[in-house]
Amino acid sequence: MKIAIGSDHAGFELKEKLIIYLKQKGIEVKDFGAYSEERADYPDFAHPVAKSVESKEVDFGILMCGTGNGINMAANKHKGIRAALCWKAEIAVLARQHNDANILTLPARCISPEEAEKCVDAFITIAFEGGRHTERVSKISNFTA
Ligand code: RB5
């Protein structure tokens, strides 16, 4: 499995911890930054991670900023992206089962590293259920205004 990861300065510390956690599991990680806690703009990391997921260069993406909101909003501008803001494992499970989410977004300033790891574990192991969710998910990006 290969994962693209990105954060702004507020998510940097958690990102570094999760990279270690993922690598210990034998997962290949492509790190799109930020590479320090120097102030940075979250869209600059959301878009490269989203493009990496959209192009299927990686299996999933993981993004984090302070609240998770800004970086999640930016990622969801991409047609092929379903980024889910998760703060507990149960939400990450349902994001995969019901929404076929392909990016896990975490609120770095509002979640413990332990809970973030549980979200990651759920996200990378749980499959999309399909069935009644398939058409709902297809309607996320296929609509007429
Ligand atoms: C940075 O201070 C903060 O605004 C950012 O990390 C994020 O929470 C925005 O949604």
Side-chain angles (χ1 to χ4, degrees):
M1 179 175 285
K2 196 169 171 184
I3 287 187
I5 198 164
S7 74
D8 68 354
H9 56 291
F12 173 73
E13 192 180 343
L14 179 61
K15 176 172 69 68
E16 296 303 295
K17 286 190 173 128
L18 291 180
I19 289 172
I20 293 167
Y21 184 69
L22 290 162
K23 285 186 174 170
Q24 279 170 351
K25 288 175 173 289
I27 294 170
E28 197 180 332
V29 182
K30 187 158 185 196
D31 182 6
F32 285 91
Y35 302 113
S36 76
E37 286 185 322
E38 191 180 330
R39 201 162 64 184
D41 300 334
Y42 50 79
D44 295 341
F45 311 100
H47 294 307
V49 168
K51 281 183 192 167
S52 179
V53 173
E54 270 186 317
S55 72
K56 304 209 183 300
E57 177 193 25
V58 294
D59 299 289
F60 293 116
I62 300 177
L63 289 171
M64 61 226 86
C65 64
T67 60
N69 272 324
I71 208 159
N72 200 52
M73 289 175 189
N76 275 319
K77 290 292 176 188
H78 294 250
K79 194 171 164 65
I81 294 303
R82 290 175 300 282
L85 177 56
C86 301
W87 56 95
K88 52 196 279 193
E90 185 187 355
I91 301 172
V93 168
L94 290 168
R96 288 289 308 126
Q97 287 179 335
H98 290 190
N99 312 118
D100 199 15
N102 50 14
I103 293 183
L104 168 67
T105 308
L106 297 163
R109 287 178 173 156
C110 312
I111 192 171
S112 68
E114 294 74 25
E115 192 65 48
E117 287 174 2
K118 285 183 194 161
C119 289
V120 167
D121 284 340
F123 201 83
I124 64 178
T125 55
I126 304 286
F128 178 48
E129 270 182 18
R132 71 187 191 280
H133 301 292
T134 304
E135 198 181 347
R136 292 172 188 168
V137 168
S138 77
K139 286 181 178 178
I140 292 172
S141 53
N142 298 322
F143 63 94
T144 42

